[in-house]
Amino acid sequence: MTDNISQRVLAAALHEARGWLLDCDFDEDTLDELSDRLVVAVVDANYDGGWQQFLLAIDSRLEEHPAAPITAELLEGALR
């Protein structure tokens, strides 16, 4: 059950990340071709404070379970 919630939270975070990149004028066609792992890497490289700060900024918008911790271990497992 926890893995299912974590996967939904990660999917919501990735959806928000893709939206943020579009808001930053990232090319939509290029973005469509990026894997989830690369989306995380691009956000990590360009968001002030990286991926972790991005997650904190969108925490209230995550649909399923805003308080679910998104750890490096979760990302490693989910993005393989």
Side-chain angles (χ1 to χ4, degrees):
M1 179 76 159
T2 302
D3 287 338
N4 193 21
I5 291 171
S6 297
Q7 289 296 321
R8 284 184 275 171
V9 170
L10 179 59
L14 287 165
H15 177 77
E16 290 288 333
R18 289 177 184 277
W20 178 75
L21 290 170
L22 287 174
D23 289 346
C24 294
D25 295 326
F26 202 86
D27 180 67
E28 188 171 358
D29 291 332
T30 301
L31 183 59
D32 288 343
E33 295 177 13
L34 291 182
S35 68
D36 291 343
R37 182 180 292 275
L38 284 175
V39 169
V40 171
V42 171
V43 171
D44 191 50
N46 292 285
Y47 193 86
D48 188 23
W51 178 249
Q52 290 300 319
Q53 190 61 40
F54 179 79
L55 293 175
L56 290 173
I58 66 164
D59 185 57
S60 64
R61 287 187 267 165
L62 296 179
E63 298 172 47
E64 294 295 330
H65 195 279
I70 300 179
T71 63
E73 292 80 22
L74 171 64
L75 291 175
E76 281 298 314
L79 297 176
R80 286 187 185 171

